[in-house]
Each structure stands twice: as C-alpha cells, then as structure tokens.
Amino acid sequence: MAGNIELLNSVLAAAKSENRAALVGYLPAGFPSVEDGVRAVTAMLDGGCDIVEVGLPHSDPVLDGPVIQTADDIALRGGIKIVDVIRTVKEAHEITGAPVLVMTYWNPVDAYGVERFAADLAAAGGAGCILPDLPVEESETWRKAAEQHGLATVFVVAPSSRDDRLAKITAAGSGFVYAASLMGVTGTRESVGREAQDLVRRTRAVTELPVCVGLGVSNATQAEEVAQFADGVIVGSAFVKRLLDAPDLESGIAAVRSLAGELAEGVRKRA
C-alpha cells in the first residue's frame, strides 16, 4: 500500500489556492495515553488543523523543549512503542481523512528497520516523515524506502543554514521544508522574529517546495504573523501545554480543539 504524500501535496496546494498558509499541528503519540492521544490528534484536525505531525517520543531529544519533553516522558513511562505511533497515525487518518506525518529522530527508525518502518507507516495511511537529526548525506537509504512507499521526506533547515546547504537539503526533500524559526529548541515564544522570514525567503530561492515555519508559534496573532510569509505554520508546544494544563482529559481535548480553531483563523488573515 502506498503512503499519502499526494494527499499532503494536495492539502498544501489547496491552502495556497485559498491564499492562506496551512496549519500544521504536532502532538507526541502516547500522550496522555495512546487512546487519548488519538482523540487529541483528531480534535486538532476537527478544530482546524490541515495537517498533523505525530511525534515519536524519544528519551534524548535534540530539538524538543521542556513542554514536549514532559509529554514525551509521560508517553515513555506509559510504555509507548513504535507500533503505537503507527496506530495513532492510522486511526487519526482514518477518522479525519487528513494527512498525518511522523516526526522522529533517526535512531528509532534505524533500530526498527528502515524498510519496515516505511512500509508500516505507508500501510497506516501515513503521509511521510520529518527527520530533524538525519543528515541529508546519510539519508539515501531512507529516501529510497520513502519514495518506494509514497511517503514524504521532510528535512529541517535553520537560520544558520548557508544558501548552498539549503539548496542541498531541499533538493533531497519532498512534501515540504520545515523551517526552524530560530536557533534553539521547541517552545512558545513572545515573538517569532525576523530570522524566520529571512530563512523562508532564502529557502524559497532554492526550492519549489512549500516552506512551513515551526518553533515558537503559540497563538493566533503569531500564526497570523507567520502566515504572511510562510506556506505553513507549525504549532506543537502550545497544543501540548493545553493538555498538560487542563484539569481533566475532557477539558484538555476541548482546549486543543479550541486552540486549533483560533490558530486556523489566524492563518486565514493574510493581507
């Protein structure tokens, strides 16, 4: 069974045709539990997210800030396994019909087996993988498996990436480019900053792929700001925080759905 890279491409193209940015949400699988995580991801999509990234919890993350690390720890202590991550993708996609990607560090994929991971993700209806710590020079094995199974390979670029490096990374990627808005880890910020806009401009100069900005966006005002210059707005920590801060699960699910709606309004306010 082929994965859903074409669905991902069509959703991003549809947002562009509506003269708006796509809204991309993120939650780690298994948080607060596998079943409840599926409910939360579904609520994000029902609330207004166009695309969702399901995180594969990792004990030693390099990109994730304290909020997502807390959620990862809850998932890991709950016994989360890769099959549960795949299940989350499958159920969220089946319920909503939306493109669902996995965001993961490379080591778990390598340990699981590259071909096996790609095949299982595609069979679950997954749209692709975001691999923040996989160097493009070492990505050929994964990219071949992903292409064979109809999956996008999304690479991360940063403000420190030189123009020639941007060209090399984006040439190897598919689906979209994940532009980290600042140097550092995930988490909400008071402002997203000019670095993000400059990075999007430089990335667009070397690729036709949509450029989606993540790291720091937490409210509708910031989503609107980023939507003025990016093809997609990625929000993760703010969703996780709504679940962490909620007095009970039902309140948390409602808060996640509500935040998705607020952010969806923000990305639609293009000048």
Side-chain angles (χ1 to χ4, degrees), residues 62-65 156 158-160 180-187 189 195 214-215:
V62 295
L63 189 68
D64 301 321
V156 178
S160 60
S181 66
L182 71 172
M183 301 303 294
V185 296
T186 59
R189 300 289 194 283
E195 282 189 328
L215 272 68

Side-chain angles (χ1 to χ4, degrees), residues 32-57:
S33 69
V34 176
E35 293 78 11
D36 295 336
V38 171
R39 288 188 60 201
V41 169
T42 302
M44 291 163 66
L45 290 161
D46 288 344
C49 286
D50 299 290
I51 299 161
V52 161
E53 305 169 5
V54 171
L56 196 159

